Amino acid sequence: MLIEPGKLLAQINSPDELKKFSRDQLVQICEELRQYIIDSVSVYGGHFGASLGVVELTVALHYVLNTPSDQLVWDVGHQAYGHKILTGRRGEFHTNRLYKGISGFPKRKESEYDSFGVGHSSTSISAALGMAMASKYKGDDLKQHVAVIGDGSMTGGMAFEAMNHAGISDTNMIIILNDNCMSIDPNVGALRDYLTDITTSQTYNRFKDDLWRILGKFSKFGSSAQEIISKVEGAVKSALLKQSNLFESLNLRYFGPVDGHDVNHLVEVLNDLKKIPGPKILHCLTVKGKGYDLAEKDQTKWHAPGKFDKITGEISKKIYDTPQPPKYQDVFGHTLVELAEEDDKIMGITPAMPSGSSMNIMMKAMPDRAFDVGIAEQHAVTFSAGLATQGLKPFCNIYSTFMQRAYDQVVHDVCLQNLPVVFCLDRAGFAGADGPTHHGAYDIAYFRCIPNLVISAPMNEEELRNMMFSASKYEGPYSIRYPRGQGVMPDWRTPMREIPTGQGRIIKEGEDVAILTLGHIGNYAIEACEKLEKDGLNPAHYDMRFVKPLDESLLHEVFGKFKKVITVEDGCLMGGFGSAVLEWMMDHNYQAQVKRLGIPDEVIEHGTQLELHRECGFDPDGIAQAVKKLADPISVEK
């Protein structure tokens, strides 16, 4: 079912075509664009609230800027659906986030209008500043560089580092702060309170428009007059807000707050800002989910609701006749509370993902022992390390892809000091429709080289509970990786028991070929073995559980008995679990034919997890085929 655009939107396939419309028509274009996003996401799924909140800003930016020559960077890409629709991708927008379709995030190779690929937060200001510096170096003083950053992304330390640099850069750059008090969950921290102070100061908001008008009148008298009025402006802002302006103190000219849903006023403001030299910040107030009542009222739920009935608001859910396995994240959330009830030293930490990681379960049950630190992964890790120095047991839950941002802190602040921090890496392996920016492909490889760190992966919900219990008793750094989505055990609330560190297990005895798996992907191997038995093959299956330390006694058994071995992992092959097994084999002077299955050394795009596993050859059929080829390569080739 293709979504029909409104009569004005149907005529827009590029920003140049948008510019042909009059200012009076922009409100209707915004209404049609918002409705097109609602219609499309309700039918095909995807992120929802963030793009609805910036419809007017998106239209205004492309109306005023000369994109793609002017550089527009979105932070993060959840906001960019309207941008994609206006820049020539409306006809294929129905493929958004689907296998082989367009990406759910801006992507340089997808469109010249996507000036920078985004998926992780807090990168836009640094990227736009780099672009602005390049233009300055080339002598291109007319090109505009705009970073649109959500207020949630502002809590990332990289944004502050970039603003600190931008303030002394003398570049042609506009930072647009999209202030809606939300990332996926409500924002937290002092910055949120500071922005609220600005937006609710009635005295300041009465004076700000007058100050802008004065600025405009004085600017024609030259640079000295501009310098004087700039100082006056800063002083008045500071006095009215009863505190220094954070952005002005970084030497960024601050404008706002303005109504982010008044498209014509935004056009006026952006046209004015283009004429003011130097780095500037425009503070826009928006509502996440704007234009869809249910999304405005429950912004977390409607961040990415999946398919839904746009009339009733009923979100589509599959109906099952039998109990279904829970999501791994929910097993984590409930198990953490169970552990914390028995051990008052256990604490929970997450960087802005309480609902995504199910840390919100502990935050509700034990609000003084669970912390959302905002989009600040580096801080989350070192904060956890600080807790650990005082005898507490922090469980730091960070998506695998976001843990990359805190790598130095894991090394320097946790592992070198051998502190008992438990890293729970959610969304390990392929993340599905979110694509390569969110795939948790690299954590095994980048963690494996760090001293003192245990690396584990559960094959099912029972194993996750046991590993969490074991980690709570372990006196050192311990990581547990598990995938996005459902497990395999409807009856998952099993009694917890301690797993000896580095101990794997035998799932199935066999002959000819041994399959060594790590984590949830072992369930694919069970399915593959069932298929192979029908073909007369009987491979053995070992669930290794740990990459570090490896179960050496189990590996001696494997390589002492088998000359053909397959390793399977939902992680990168370069330096991953299979590499660890090969290294061990060589170090212990074994010889065997080893086939490694996993994520190859290339960027794998988006799709369902099963589609991506199949593409990389480690779905059940892929594992079965690998066993057949290793066991009898001649017959397979025939």
Side-chain angles (χ1 to χ4, degrees):
M1 168 180 169
L2 292 180
I3 307 301
E4 293 295 328
K7 64 178 182 179
L8 300 186
L9 185 61
Q11 303 173 53
I12 301 172
N13 293 296
S14 71
D16 286 341
E17 292 175 339
L18 171 65
K19 291 179 175 68
K20 294 177 182 179
F21 290 92
S22 69
R23 289 268 298 274
D24 293 338
Q25 294 173 297
L26 292 184
V27 171
Q28 183 179 340
I29 290 172
C30 289
E31 291 176 355
E32 292 182 9
L33 179 58
R34 177 170 280 112
Q35 191 58 51
Y36 191 83
I37 293 172
I38 292 171
D39 289 345
S40 296
V41 177
S42 68
V43 172
Y44 297 109
H47 291 101
F48 190 59
S51 286
L52 291 183
V54 292
V55 163
E56 288 79 11
L57 179 59
T58 304
V59 170
L61 282 166
H62 281 296
Y63 196 75
V64 171
L65 296 176
N66 182 30
T67 55
S69 176
D70 288 340
Q71 303 289 284
L72 177 58
V73 184
W74 295 91
D75 190 341
V76 289
H78 300 148
Q79 308 177 86
Y81 284 10
H83 160 80
K84 291 201 168 203
I85 293 164
L86 293 176
T87 54
R89 285 165 280 184
R90 175 169 45 80
E92 53 186 338
F93 192 69
H94 64 282
T95 71
N96 182 46
R97 292 167 53 88
L98 300 178
Y99 189 58
K100 302 298 184 182
I102 65 172
S103 170
F105 301 96
K107 192 169 188 176
R108 280 176 58 83
K109 72 177 184 180
E110 185 177 290
S111 170
E112 63 180 340
Y113 291 96
D114 293 356
S115 64
F116 200 76
V118 293
H120 295 186
S121 76
S122 314
T123 60
S124 61
I125 303 176
S126 296
L129 179 58
M131 297 169 184
M133 281 291 199
S135 295
K136 181 180 178 181
Y137 173 73
K138 295 175 182 178
D140 189 350
D141 298 328
L142 298 179
K143 181 177 285 191
Q144 298 293 321
H145 311 85
V146 180
V148 183
I149 182 168
D151 52 344
S153 296
M154 273 291 194
T155 65
M158 187 176 174
F160 287 91
E161 295 170 17
M163 287 191 291
N164 183 54
H165 186 194
I168 60 168
S169 66
D170 190 29
T171 54
N172 207 11
M173 177 179 179
I174 303 172
I175 301 167
I176 297 179
L177 172 58
N178 172 26
D179 182 359
N180 61 20
C181 296
M182 292 289 294
S183 49
I184 294 176
D185 293 281
N187 290 334
V188 297
L191 178 63
R192 178 200 62 181
D193 296 339
Y194 172 76
L195 294 176
T196 301
D197 286 345
I198 292 179
T199 59
T200 57
S201 171
Q202 296 181 357
T203 306
Y204 169 63
N205 281 286
R206 260 199 322 270
F207 277 91
K208 67 179 173 66
D209 291 331
D210 292 335
L211 284 168
W212 282 22
R213 283 193 290 271
I214 293 171
L215 264 177
K217 292 177 181 178
F218 271 76
S219 63
K220 63 184 178 182
F221 294 110
S223 59
S224 60
Q226 284 182 319
E227 183 177 346
I228 293 171
I229 195 63
S230 179
K231 291 179 179 178
V232 171
E233 177 195 17
V236 173
K237 287 177 180 177
S238 296
L240 294 177
L241 291 173
K242 299 180 181 179
Q243 57 184 309
S244 62
N245 186 290
L246 169 66
F247 305 109
E248 296 278 353
S249 68
L250 293 171
N251 205 30
L252 298 170
R253 292 285 303 282
Y254 172 85
F255 299 93
V258 298
D259 182 357
H261 298 299
D262 185 339
V263 64
N264 282 296
H265 183 55
L266 286 172
V267 168
E268 292 176 6
V269 170
L270 290 170
N271 273 318
D272 288 342
L273 292 184
K274 282 175 60 177
K275 301 170 187 176
I276 300 174
K280 305 161 284 289
I281 185 162
L282 175 63
H283 186 178
C284 292
L285 303 182
T286 63
V287 176
K288 189 173 182 179
K290 178 70 174 179
Y292 193 75
D293 186 59
L294 293 172
E296 292 183 33
K297 291 177 180 176
D298 191 344
Q299 295 172 335
T300 298
K301 177 180 178 180
W302 288 88
H303 172 73
K307 301 175 184 179
F308 62 94
D309 185 318
K310 71 171 187 176
I311 305 299
T312 65
E314 182 179 356
I315 297 174
S316 301
K317 293 183 179 180
K318 292 183 179 178
I319 305 299
Y320 297 96
D321 295 330
T322 58
Q324 293 298 298
K327 294 180 179 178
Y328 275 102
Q329 68 179 66
D330 292 335
V331 175
F332 161 82
H334 289 292
T335 302
L336 186 61
V337 171
E338 288 182 50
L339 292 171
E341 288 171 343
E342 298 297 323
D343 185 348
D344 62 6
K345 294 181 180 180
I346 289 178
M347 313 291 279
I349 300 93
T350 185
M353 301 303 292
S355 60
S357 70
S358 294
M359 185 68 75
N360 55 358
I361 298 172
M362 185 175 181
M363 291 172 70
K364 182 178 180 180
M366 304 173 179
D368 59 330
R369 294 172 61 185
F371 305 92
D372 175 5
V373 301
I375 300 178
E377 291 85 2
Q378 292 170 297
H379 166 62
V381 171
T382 304
F383 173 66
S384 299
L387 291 171
T389 65
Q390 303 306 301
L392 299 178
K393 192 74 177 187
F395 277 69
C396 182
N397 189 303
I398 300 179
Y399 288 9
S400 169
T401 185
F402 298 141
M403 181 58 84
Q404 295 160 191
R405 299 158 66 93
Y407 188 64
D408 180 59
Q409 286 66 34
V410 173
V411 176
H412 183 271
D413 299 334
V414 176
C415 293
L416 293 188
Q417 303 186 90
N418 202 26
L419 293 172
V421 176
V422 182
F423 296 115
C424 295
L425 274 55
D426 199 339
R427 270 63 168 181
F430 282 131
D434 283 338
T437 59
H438 282 59
H439 292 333
Y442 312 113
D443 58 271
I444 299 173
Y446 67 64
F447 268 3
R448 196 164 68 83
C449 59
I450 307 175
N452 294 324
L453 180 60
V454 172
I455 305 172
S456 67
M459 196 170 122
N460 54 39
E461 297 91 321
E462 179 181 20
E463 291 283 290
L464 174 56
R465 286 167 61 79
N466 291 340
M467 286 176 180
M468 290 177 66
F469 178 74
S470 303
S472 72
K473 307 296 182 186
Y474 188 76
E475 294 300 324
Y478 199 115
S479 74
I480 308 170
R481 73 185 311 260
Y482 49 89
R484 179 177 193 165
Q486 287 182 307
V488 295
M489 297 177 61
D491 297 322
W492 59 273
R493 286 189 183 270
T494 54
M496 286 181 273
R497 62 179 181 83
E498 190 167 352
I499 300 174
T501 304
Q503 184 183 88
R505 59 178 181 157
I506 302 173
I507 301 296
K508 176 183 175 295
E509 298 279 4
E511 54 193 24
D512 296 327
V513 178
I515 305 172
L516 277 56
T517 62
L518 180 76
H520 176 81
I521 215 72
N523 295 291
Y524 280 4
I526 291 175
E527 188 175 339
C529 287
E530 292 172 354
K531 294 174 181 289
L532 290 165
E533 284 184 1
K534 296 177 182 178
D535 294 330
L537 293 173
N538 183 31
H541 178 200
Y542 297 81
D543 171 25
M544 295 302 295
R545 284 181 173 151
F546 295 87
V547 184
K548 188 176 181 182
L550 288 166
D551 188 333
E552 297 202 31
S553 63
L554 206 58
L555 288 178
H556 278 297
E557 176 183 327
V558 169
F559 285 99
K561 181 179 178 181
F562 296 92
K563 296 301 180 183
K564 297 180 178 181
V565 176
I566 293 175
T567 66
V568 190
E569 60 195 297
D570 192 2
C572 65
L573 289 173
M574 298 285 285
F577 163 62
S579 294
V581 172
L582 279 176
E583 291 167 14
W584 187 93
M585 182 187 77
M586 296 299 294
D587 289 344
H588 291 81
N589 299 313
Y590 285 104
Q591 290 186 345
Q593 187 178 356
V594 179
K595 173 67 176 177
R596 295 177 300 144
L597 301 180
I599 300 175
D601 186 27
E602 59 188 78
V603 175
I604 305 299
E605 301 296 344
H606 57 280
T608 67
Q609 288 163 299
L610 182 57
E611 286 172 333
L612 301 182
H613 295 155
R614 184 179 298 122
E615 178 179 323
C616 295
F618 59 94
D619 64 315
D621 288 338
I623 296 172
Q625 185 68 13
V627 170
K628 289 179 180 179
K629 189 170 184 179
L630 203 59
D632 189 0
I634 297 177
S635 64
V636 170
E637 290 176 4
K638 288 180 180 179

